[in-house]
Amino acid sequence: MGELKKILLKKKNCKSVWFMRQAGRYLPEFKKIRSKNKDFIKLCLNSKLSSEITLQPIRRFNLDSAIIFSDILMVPYGLGQDIKFIEDKGPVIRNFNLKNFLNFKKKDFNKKLRPVYSAIKTTKKRLEKEKSLICFVGAPWTLLIYLFGLKINTNNIDLKKIKGREKEIKKIFNKLNQFLCLHIKNQVRAGADVVQIFDSWAGLIPKNKVKDFCFKPNKKIVDFCKSKNIPIICFPKGIKKKYLQFNNYVRPHGISLDYQIKPEWAYKNLKNVVIQGGLDPKILLKSDKEIFKRATRYLKAFKGIPYVFNLGHGLLPKTDPGKVHKLIKFYRNF
Ligand code: CP3
């Protein structure tokens, strides 16, 4: 906790702002690079360009933290899986091969993901000293969603696809946990200051499995980070009031709120943790007045405690960068 505070909140007045998905499709300068680089994985493995994309929102908005341009699916890629990013559909993993996956070696993983680490190294050098560089991993459950093609739509998964596969899932989670920790270690060694775990689809876990599929795997990663003194933020999106149990069980240094969590509830219930985020990214599609009103609610709710200003999920592709700029200005003057 002290570590996260020091690094993310090193501003004198405890103020710090960055946004999930700050480097991405709402920025014209990203779209320009993307239009010339049709293969998304290749783009993530282009150290020069991925460092450049990481720094785009920093230059434009002077945010306090940069998040490395990469993807949670780079770990399954590093474990030998065939991943394609399909326009308007998202990532698809073809022919998931369990045997290959479980037998994949560290040496080969490190080699495949080396460009990600060199991008971090370059970016850290180019970033102003007082800004932090955030790296990330996807949580095992959120990665399983893609490995097994579980999602039917945003709110539903195909339960048939996990039924009776507990043993297999356990093996996959163990392998993922091991390699997610390796990926964290490599990223921090390359220069990242903080890690965020994205459990973006935690809200889709069947009720009786939340502990096994969300709490436990997150805790394993958090414990690893603590043993290495690495500041860590968790984002168990969509688990509603279970944020309380999650925080008490997993005990991360930082916890990122999704937009369903009321800030007043979080203030009252989430203790011994630095709170981050919460603001609904959809609010940025509305008028300035509505944006500032909603932002005020968060800033008032967390007045007096360390709070990292951020959103309750990633910036939407339709977002006007001008609105992002206004929100940051509003926050700085608050
Ligand atoms: O700015 C940043 O936050 C850093 C970069 C970043 C990306 N993906 C780049 C990206 C981060 C942190 C991620 C994490 C990620 N990737 C998550 C967790 C966060 C979340 O949004 O819930 C998830 C679930 C993914 C998987 C993924 N990658 C999806 C579903 C998609 C397609 C739809 C989408 O959200 O854009 C991607 C592609 C992707 N990852 C893009 C970017 C900039 C868009 C690529 C493009 O088409 O131009």
Side-chain angles (χ1 to χ4, degrees), residues 224-333:
F224 170 81
C225 288
K226 284 181 172 171
S227 77
K228 302 259 179 259
N229 271 321
I230 301 168
I232 179 138
I233 306 168
C234 284
F235 181 46
K237 182 177 173 282
I239 62 169
K240 304 198 169 122
K241 294 239 156 106
K242 290 206 181 79
Y243 255 84
L244 171 57
Q245 277 163 276
F246 180 96
N247 189 50
N248 291 338
Y249 184 88
V250 179
R251 300 212 149 276
H253 302 112
I255 196 157
S256 207
L257 307 181
D258 67 42
Y259 50 80
Q260 290 181 317
I261 302 291
K262 289 198 172 77
E264 300 78 14
W265 179 88
Y267 178 83
K268 235 178 36 211
N269 290 286
L270 305 179
K271 302 292 180 190
N272 301 313
V273 70
V274 176
I275 294 176
Q276 164 179 287
L279 187 70
D280 191 341
K282 288 190 283 301
I283 201 79
L284 282 161
L285 308 177
K286 302 210 169 149
S287 71
D288 293 358
K289 203 176 141 197
E290 283 166 284
I291 297 171
F292 300 155
K293 190 175 160 209
R294 188 73 65 86
T296 302
R297 181 171 166 197
Y298 282 84
L299 296 171
K300 277 197 170 151
F302 300 116
K303 217 177 134 197
I305 62 166
Y307 172 59
V308 180
F309 192 56
N310 200 324
L311 305 171
H313 199 193
L315 277 159
L316 298 164
K318 277 183 290 190
T319 311
D320 167 9
K323 296 274 186 194
V324 177
H325 205 139
K326 281 183 185 168
L327 175 61
I328 295 168
K329 215 170 135 195
F330 176 80
Y331 167 74
R332 299 257 189 235
N333 292 325

Side-chain angles (χ1 to χ4, degrees), residues 17-65:
V17 54
W18 69 279
F19 295 129
M20 288 190 256
R21 298 298 195 95
Q22 63 192 25
R25 294 181 299 180
Y26 71 107
L27 283 183
E29 55 270 40
F30 171 75
K31 282 189 254 186
K32 201 171 149 198
I33 294 181
R34 180 74 168 105
S35 69
K36 290 186 224 145
N37 294 272
K38 302 278 183 219
D39 185 328
F40 185 72
I41 294 271
K42 268 197 189 146
L43 180 57
C44 290
L45 294 172
N46 182 327
S47 309
K48 213 172 144 215
L49 286 180
S50 77
S51 173
E52 182 56 29
I53 294 167
T54 303
L55 293 170
Q56 284 176 344
I58 310 302
R59 288 201 200 101
R60 197 187 253 264
F61 305 122
N62 191 29
L63 292 146
D64 296 314
S65 300

Side-chain angles (χ1 to χ4, degrees), residues 18-25 30 34 40 67-73 85 87 89-91 136 142 146 151 198 200-201 235 237 313-314 317:
W18 69 279
F19 295 129
M20 288 190 256
R21 298 298 195 95
Q22 63 192 25
R25 294 181 299 180
F30 171 75
R34 180 74 168 105
F40 185 72
I67 177 161
I68 191 68
F69 177 77
S70 179
D71 200 86
I72 59 166
L73 291 163
F85 284 83
E87 217 179 323
K89 191 165 180 263
F136 61 89
T142 289
Y146 298 103
K151 228 164 8 124
F198 285 93
S200 304
W201 301 114
F235 181 46
K237 182 177 173 282
H313 199 193

Side-chain angles (χ1 to χ4, degrees), residues 46-230:
N46 182 327
S47 309
K48 213 172 144 215
L49 286 180
S50 77
S51 173
E52 182 56 29
I53 294 167
T54 303
L55 293 170
Q56 284 176 344
I58 310 302
R59 288 201 200 101
R60 197 187 253 264
F61 305 122
N62 191 29
L63 292 146
D64 296 314
S65 300
I67 177 161
I68 191 68
F69 177 77
S70 179
D71 200 86
I72 59 166
L73 291 163
M74 294 312 284
V75 166
Y77 166 81
L79 283 164
Q81 301 306 305
D82 176 13
I83 300 173
K84 286 275 172 305
F85 284 83
I86 297 166
E87 217 179 323
D88 302 320
K89 191 165 180 263
V92 177
I93 296 183
R94 291 181 304 193
N95 316 319
F96 174 63
N97 183 320
L98 183 67
K99 208 169 148 216
N100 265 356
F101 182 84
L102 295 178
N103 288 328
F104 214 85
K105 299 280 177 289
K106 283 187 176 175
K107 190 170 81 22
D108 300 320
F109 176 88
N110 289 341
K111 197 167 153 196
K112 284 191 88 146
L113 294 187
R114 198 167 292 148
V116 176
Y117 311 132
S118 29
I120 291 176
K121 207 169 157 190
T122 315
T123 309
K124 185 64 187 169
K125 276 194 206 138
R126 294 166 78 191
L127 199 63
E128 284 170 55
K129 280 217 168 48
E130 57 277 10
K131 295 191 191 296
S132 48
L133 180 57
I134 298 169
C135 69
F136 61 89
V137 294
W141 164 258
T142 289
L143 293 175
L144 190 76
I145 288 270
Y146 298 103
L147 292 176
F148 281 7
L150 290 180
K151 228 164 8 124
I152 301 172
N153 53 46
T154 354
N155 298 314
N156 295 290
I157 56 163
D158 188 348
L159 278 173
K160 288 194 299 294
K161 289 188 178 168
I162 52 170
K163 231 177 147 180
R165 292 174 84 175
E166 275 80 5
K167 263 198 186 148
E168 192 183 337
I169 292 173
K170 204 169 172 182
K171 280 187 197 158
I172 293 170
F173 273 27
N174 281 339
K175 182 78 176 181
L176 280 174
N177 258 313
Q178 201 186 338
F179 281 75
L180 292 168
C181 290
L182 175 62
H183 191 46
I184 289 173
K185 196 176 88 184
N186 291 341
Q187 292 185 92
V188 170
R189 193 177 280 163
D193 302 293
V194 181
V195 189
Q196 176 153 322
I197 309 177
F198 285 93
D199 211 347
S200 304
W201 301 114
L204 299 182
I205 300 174
K207 264 204 184 82
N208 61 342
K209 291 278 182 210
V210 178
K211 191 162 181 191
D212 282 346
F213 288 174
C214 174
F215 292 12
K216 285 184 181 172
N218 271 275
K219 184 170 171 7
K220 274 194 189 164
I221 302 172
V222 167
D223 286 346
F224 170 81
C225 288
K226 284 181 172 171
S227 77
K228 302 259 179 259
N229 271 321
I230 301 168

